[in-house]
Amino acid sequence: MLKIISVVGARPNFMKVAPLHKAFEKLSVVSSRLAVETGKRKSAEGGESRKDEEKNSTTKHQPTTVNHLICHTGQHYDEKMSKVFFDELELPKPDFYLGVGSGSHAEQTAKVMIEFEKILLQEKPDLVIVVGDVNSTIACSLAAVKLHIKVAHVEAGLRSFDKEMPEEINRVLTDTISDFLFITEKSGIENLKKSGVSDDKVFFVGNCMIDSLIHYLPKVDSTTITEDYKLITNNYIVVTLHRPSNVDEEKSLREVIEMLNHLSEKRKIVFPIHPRTRSNIKAFGLENLLNENIILTDPIGYLDFISLVKNCELVITDSGGIQEESTYLGVQCLTLRDNTERPVTVEVGTNHLIGTDFKKAEIAALEILSGKKKVGKIPELWDGKAAERIVEIIVERLIRLRWS
Ligand code: UD1
C-alpha cells in the first residue's frame, strides 16, 4: 500500500487535484478487484506472500493500492473560493485542513510549512503531490523534501521569466526540488532542460485542469447562469482580474475600469470579482465608476464559471488557468499581461497576449468583437487523460523504488 498526500491551497488547485483523486480511486477499485482475483487463484495454487504479490504485480505493470489523502492548507478559505469547488468537483472532505488563511508571502508560506511538516511527520507518506504555482505549492514541497519525502509537481516547467510574479518564484523553486515533473505543454520540457533538470524526472502528460473541464462539460450545459443573468450566447464578455500588477495600484485599476466601461457600451460584461480586486476597488473609492452594463458578482462556482466562458464571445483575464480553459473551448481570450507562462495558448490556441496598456487592449477587444477572431486548436495531449497518465507513472516508479 502506498500513501500519497496531494496538496490544495488556492482556488486554481482544486480542479487539478480532483481528476488525480478520481484516478487514484479508480486504481484502488481495479486493484482490489485484481487482489481478490489473484488471492483466489493463489489460494487455489498454494499461496504467495503479500510482498511477493506486490512485487510481481509491479513487474507486470499492474496497479497496486494507494491511500490517497488530501491536505487543504486553507490559503483560500471563503466558501465561494474553496468549498463550492469541493462540492462541484466531487472532492471528498480534506483529510487535513491547515487553516493558514491570508498573510504576507513570507507569513503564509511559513505557516503552511510549519503546519504541513506536522502532518508529514505523523503520516510519513511515500509521496507528496503539489500542483500549480501558489504559495502552498512551494511551502509543501519544501517541507517534504527536507524530510526526504519525494515530491511530484503537476504543471511543472511553465515559465513567464518574470520574477516580479510571486508564482514564477514558486514555479522555479518547486521544479528545482521535485522528483517528478509533470508537464502540460512542450515549452515546459525545454524550460526544464535549460535549467539542468535531468530528463528522467520529466513527463509530458497533458493537463489535469483540462481533465476536469472535459469531465464536467456535460454538467456545465445544465446550469442556468446565462439565463439568470439574461445573457445572449456569443454576445457578452467575461472578465476576471486579480493579479497584483493589474489591481493593486489605483492608476491601473482605474484604467481597467475605464476600458471595461467603454467595452460595456458594445456588449454586456460579467465580472466575477476576486476578493483582492473587490477590496482594492473599495479602498480606492472606485465602486461608483463601474457602468451598469457591467454585472459585478461574487466569485462564481466552477460549473457556472465554465458555462459563462463556454458561451461568451470574449474573455478578458489575467489568470493563468483561464487562458488554458478558453483555448480548449475555442473561445477568444485577451490576456492583460506582458508575458504568459503558457505560450501554447497563444501559439496554438485562441489566446491573445495583449500587455497592460489598457488603451491597446480596448482596441484589440473591439477588433475581436468586430469579427477578427483567431482560429485555435486544442494543444497536444489535452485529452482528459493527464491524471490517469500521472497516476500510472507515479505508482510504477514508487513501487520500483521500493523494490530497488
Ligand atoms: C493566489 C495565488 C495566485 C492564484 C490566485 C487565484 C499565490 C502567490 N497566488 O492569489 O497564483 O492565481 O490565488 O485566486 O499563491 N482572500 C479572501 N478570501 C479567500 C482568499 C483570499 O478574502 O478565500 C483575500 C485576502 O484578503 C487575501 C487576498 O485575497 O489577502 C489575496 O489572497 P492570496 O491567497 O494571498 O492570493 P491571491 O491573490 O488569491
Side-chain angles (χ1 to χ4, degrees):
M1 162 88 78
L2 294 169
K3 188 187 276 186
I4 296 176
I5 301 182
S6 285
V7 175
V8 290
R11 184 169 59 175
N13 296 160
F14 306 124
M15 47 293 245
K16 295 167 194 166
V17 167
L20 288 169
H21 186 71
K22 289 188 182 83
F24 279 122
E25 272 192 327
K26 203 166 140 192
L27 177 86
S28 296
V29 171
V30 174
S31 298
S32 52
R33 241 188 257 137
L34 271 174
V36 170
E37 282 163 18
T38 319
K40 277 183 195 156
R41 232 181 15 250
K42 289 295 164 197
S43 59
E45 290 164 5
E48 185 184 60
S49 75
R50 173 91 195 245
K51 276 191 174 184
D52 287 341
E53 200 178 298
E54 201 174 354
K55 194 175 180 177
N56 286 340
S57 77
T58 324
T59 48
K60 286 179 225 150
H61 295 284
Q62 283 173 354
T64 188
T65 47
V66 175
N67 184 12
H68 181 241
L69 304 169
I70 295 176
C71 176
H72 188 339
T73 66
Q75 177 174 343
H76 283 176
Y77 43 85
D78 282 0
E79 168 106 15
K80 289 176 178 151
M81 297 290 284
S82 173
K83 187 170 178 303
V84 63
F85 292 88
F86 271 79
D87 296 344
E88 292 188 347
L89 295 162
E90 300 162 293
L91 275 163
K93 205 167 161 271
D95 300 279
F96 314 101
Y97 185 74
L98 308 184
V100 300
S102 302
S104 72
H105 284 276
E107 278 168 353
Q108 197 174 52
T109 310
K111 274 196 223 160
V112 174
M113 284 186 72
I114 292 167
E115 296 307 315
F116 191 56
E117 186 182 54
K118 294 177 193 162
I119 306 292
L120 293 173
L121 290 170
Q122 177 191 304
E123 297 296 324
K124 300 186 177 42
D126 296 281
L127 179 79
V128 167
I129 301 180
V130 293
V131 298
D133 54 17
V134 303
N135 286 341
S136 301
T137 309
I138 177 59
C140 292
S141 39
L142 199 46
V145 289
K146 294 252 177 173
L147 291 173
H148 310 296
I149 295 168
K150 300 226 167 291
V151 173
H153 185 203
V154 171
E155 208 184 80
L158 298 179
R159 294 290 182 272
S160 66
F161 303 102
D162 175 3
K163 287 226 173 92
E164 302 258 302
M165 286 178 80
E167 293 83 0
E168 180 71 359
I169 298 164
N170 295 339
R171 287 190 279 262
V172 170
L173 297 180
T174 306
D175 285 347
T176 306
I177 57 179
S178 292
D179 301 277
F180 301 93
L181 296 145
F182 293 109
I183 311 291
T184 53
E185 61 166 82
K186 281 188 173 158
S187 69
I189 303 177
E190 287 308 306
N191 294 333
L192 291 175
K193 215 186 259 294
K194 281 185 198 141
S195 57
V197 173
S198 85
D199 286 352
D200 60 346
K201 290 184 178 177
V202 179
F203 306 90
F204 177 35
V205 288
N207 192 324
C208 283
M209 186 173 227
I210 301 301
D211 289 3
S212 277
L213 182 58
I214 292 172
H215 185 83
Y216 286 105
L217 268 181
K219 267 199 178 173
V220 162
D221 290 333
S222 53
T223 62
T224 59
I225 184 140
T226 49
E227 291 109 77
D228 298 346
Y229 286 122
K230 301 189 173 45
L231 301 166
I232 302 168
T233 301
N234 208 17
N235 197 43
Y236 64 93
I237 302 173
V238 176
V239 174
T240 82
L241 292 167
H242 72 281
R243 294 261 162 232
S245 54
N246 283 332
V247 305
D248 278 6
E249 302 278 331
E250 182 179 344
K251 182 173 171 288
S252 49
L253 197 47
R254 194 179 274 278
E255 285 173 5
V256 167
I257 292 175
E258 276 168 18
M259 173 190 79
L260 296 181
N261 279 345
H262 292 158
L263 293 175
S264 72
E265 288 164 15
K266 306 274 179 196
R267 297 289 189 278
K268 221 177 210 182
I269 294 181
V270 191
F271 187 0
I273 195 157
H274 185 281
R276 171 193 285 280
T277 312
R278 185 181 283 282
S279 75
N280 286 343
I281 287 182
K282 197 164 172 222
F284 301 141
L286 305 175
E287 291 140 305
N288 298 328
L289 285 189
L290 283 154
N291 130 7
E292 59 181 23
N293 216 18
I294 301 176
I295 305 166
L296 263 197
T297 74
D298 280 340
I300 287 182
Y302 182 68
L303 300 174
D304 280 340
F305 186 74
I306 297 295
S307 171
L308 280 180
V309 172
K310 183 176 176 239
N311 293 300
C312 76
E313 186 173 6
L314 171 66
V315 180
I316 299 178
T317 191
D318 57 11
S319 146
I322 297 168
Q323 296 173 54
E324 296 183 337
E325 288 164 335
S326 54
T327 271
Y328 183 85
L329 294 167
V331 168
Q332 304 299 305
C333 175
L334 268 193
T335 298
L336 297 186
R337 285 175 44 190
D338 295 320
N339 48 56
T340 178
E341 62 287 339
R342 295 160 158 92
V344 77
T345 60
V346 179
E347 290 154 12
V348 172
T350 45
N351 189 15
H352 308 246
L353 187 63
I354 213 67
T356 47
D357 176 336
F358 302 113
K359 294 248 161 34
K360 272 195 194 155
E362 186 181 324
I363 294 168
L366 289 172
E367 279 180 358
I368 292 172
L369 296 183
S370 71
K372 211 174 149 199
K373 298 196 165 98
K374 212 172 156 183
V375 180
K377 279 196 296 202
I378 294 175
E380 195 178 341
L381 289 185
W382 289 18
D383 58 1
K385 297 192 171 72
E388 285 174 20
R389 292 186 192 104
I390 291 172
V391 165
E392 201 181 313
I393 293 166
I394 282 176
V395 170
E396 197 256 334
R397 297 283 162 134
L398 287 183
I399 297 283
R400 214 199 285 168
L401 274 173
R402 188 176 274 184
W403 294 109
S404 63

